[in-house]
Amino acid sequence: MSFAAITGVGAYLPGRIVTNDDLAATVDTSDEWIRTRTGIRERRIVAADETTSDLGAGAARAALLDAGLEPDDIDLLVVGTSSPDMVMPSTACLLQGKLGLTCAAFDVMAACTSFIFALQAAASAIESGRARRVLVVGADALTRLIDFSDRRTCVLFGDGAGAFVLEASEEQGVLGIDLGSDGTKPEVLQVPAGGSTMPASHETVDAGLHFLQMNGQEVFKFAVRAIPATTKKALAASGLALDDLTWLIPHQANQRILDTVADRLKLPHERVFSNIELLGNTSAASIPLAVNDLYTSGSLRRGDVLALVGFGAGLTWGAAIVRWTKEDL
Ligand code: UT7
């Protein structure tokens, strides 16, 4: 059996920065409230003519360059997103066309956990011998699904994309993965209309049902339970313990969630990565964007052990334990 290892990492962020003060100019909120309740100062927002697949293409090109590969070298593309360019075709197909890939391409939709589910699909394809080089992209333009007059949600989200190249390797890069879903609570975080339940109509648009709706407190309580539990399960599946972790890299949704998780796992806060201040919650992109930040800042060393941990709508959650096998920058 081959192992899967990360050989390329890339990121792409839209150029437009929106600060808390910018939002406070149009909705009843304040920089102080947003910073103290979430840790967010600013976020990036897609341009009017930019789509999720454009963000993903930027990140994918950077990851290919980092891995030293050409589009033709890739034999599978998996895209994690919950803000697809359109209902069909898949964002992965649109991205495949933009990159000039010729391989099979499909989307994975698990909300903010999409990247971990996509990573599982990619690693499994390599481990089973069905693929040798897989491009995994987490891309979201969730601000396209946000009601910018709703202060409970509009301050939280930002847009972006991150990507990994995974290759068959004699070194085990992807160690254990734990995934979970609980489909009994869809109402906690959902976009009610636009699917087969409530097709688009004047009424659904007038009622704002195409916007993201969230019970923030329920998601918060779920996140601070799910992140420690799935991290421990994935570590156990890898034959490792919390002490072996170099970095815990959770989905970036709220600094208070990250702090609570660090306390519950008794991890020093400086080992729990955070870049939420500058990016907000970028959904499926947040984990590969976090890894890219650590990588490009020279903070990752060969042999480091990373826990990549997601949670989100569904409900879904998951953790992947990764040994960093790239040479030091
Ligand atoms: O990818 C997964 C996605 N989501 C999450 O992970 C979200 C997890 N949850 C959270 O991060 C937090 O629950 C929020 C940041 C969403 C909200 O923070 P909170 O401390 O749970 O606030 P709250 O919902 O209990 O609201 C407290 C007060 C309310 O006012 P009243 O009823 O006490 O008068 C809200 O109306 O804060 C008010 N509020 C705001 N005030 C100013 C809610 N949003 C804002 C806002 N600015 N943006």
Side-chain angles (χ1 to χ4, degrees):
M1 186 181 98
S2 292
F3 294 119
I6 299 169
T7 60
V9 179
Y12 180 85
L13 293 168
R16 185 174 157 220
I17 295 174
V18 174
T19 66
N20 292 345
D21 284 334
D22 292 335
L23 292 174
T26 57
V27 69
D28 181 17
T29 189
S30 67
D31 175 54
E32 215 251 326
W33 191 96
I34 303 170
R35 272 191 296 106
T36 52
R37 299 290 243 219
T38 72
I40 301 166
R41 275 177 195 273
E42 60 188 49
R43 70 287 289 145
R44 303 296 188 98
I45 293 197
V46 277
D49 60 354
E50 223 169 10
T51 67
T52 298
S53 68
D54 290 328
L55 304 180
R61 284 193 189 100
L64 285 173
L65 190 67
D66 186 48
L69 296 179
E70 298 294 328
D72 270 350
D73 297 325
I74 296 297
D75 43 30
L76 182 66
L77 168 65
V78 188
V79 176
T81 188
S82 44
S83 47
D85 285 24
M86 50 185 93
V87 172
M88 67 173 82
S90 68
T91 302
C93 281
L94 298 169
L95 181 44
Q96 191 235 32
K98 284 177 184 172
L99 289 176
L101 302 175
T102 51
C103 62
F106 65 90
D107 283 1
V108 168
M109 192 189 261
C112 300
T113 326
S114 295
F115 190 77
I116 304 298
F117 278 71
L119 197 64
Q120 152 95 328
S124 302
I126 289 174
E127 288 159 3
S128 66
R130 292 206 168 87
R132 289 194 59 77
R133 290 172 171 149
V134 185
L135 189 51
V136 195
V137 178
D140 262 315
L142 270 199
T143 64
R144 286 282 160 80
L145 305 175
I146 296 296
D147 174 359
F148 274 89
S149 67
D150 175 8
R151 68 177 184 175
R152 291 166 304 162
T153 52
C154 76
V155 302
L156 303 174
F157 296 95
D159 304 323
F164 287 176
V165 173
L166 287 191
E167 292 191 65
S169 168
E170 289 178 3
E171 285 188 283
Q172 192 173 11
V174 179
L175 308 174
I177 298 185
D178 176 64
L179 298 178
S181 306
D182 173 2
T184 63
K185 299 185 186 71
E187 69 290 346
V188 170
L189 183 45
Q190 63 177 358
V191 178
S196 61
T197 308
M198 271 189 248
S201 66
H202 287 292
E203 290 74 25
T204 60
V205 173
D206 288 347
L209 295 171
H210 297 268
F211 291 128
L212 181 147
Q213 300 176 351
M214 180 176 71
N215 180 334
Q217 291 189 0
E218 283 303 313
V219 179
F220 193 108
K221 282 188 264 175
F222 153 65
V224 298
R225 277 195 313 268
I227 298 173
T230 190
T231 303
K232 286 180 187 164
K233 279 191 182 171
L235 278 168
S238 311
L240 296 174
L242 274 169
D243 283 348
D244 296 313
L245 276 187
T246 319
W247 287 100
L248 179 68
I249 306 176
H251 168 50
Q252 307 283 305
N254 186 322
Q255 186 59 45
R256 288 189 296 132
I257 292 177
L258 304 186
D259 293 342
T260 308
V261 164
D263 292 341
R264 289 196 176 180
L265 287 173
K266 299 189 175 58
L267 283 175
H269 285 224
E270 55 281 8
R271 271 168 60 201
V272 180
F273 181 78
S274 173
N275 61 4
I276 193 166
E277 186 180 11
L278 299 178
L279 300 182
N281 178 345
T282 56
S283 191
S286 82
I287 290 170
L289 281 172
V291 173
N292 185 72
D293 269 3
L294 280 168
Y295 172 49
T296 55
S297 65
S299 307
L300 295 181
R301 296 276 166 275
R302 199 174 141 73
D304 281 354
V305 177
L306 320 179
L308 316 180
V309 191
F311 65 90
L315 300 167
T316 55
W317 60 89
I321 309 299
V322 168
R323 190 178 300 282
W324 191 251
T325 50
K326 280 173 74 68
E327 296 302 329
D328 295 348
L329 276 184

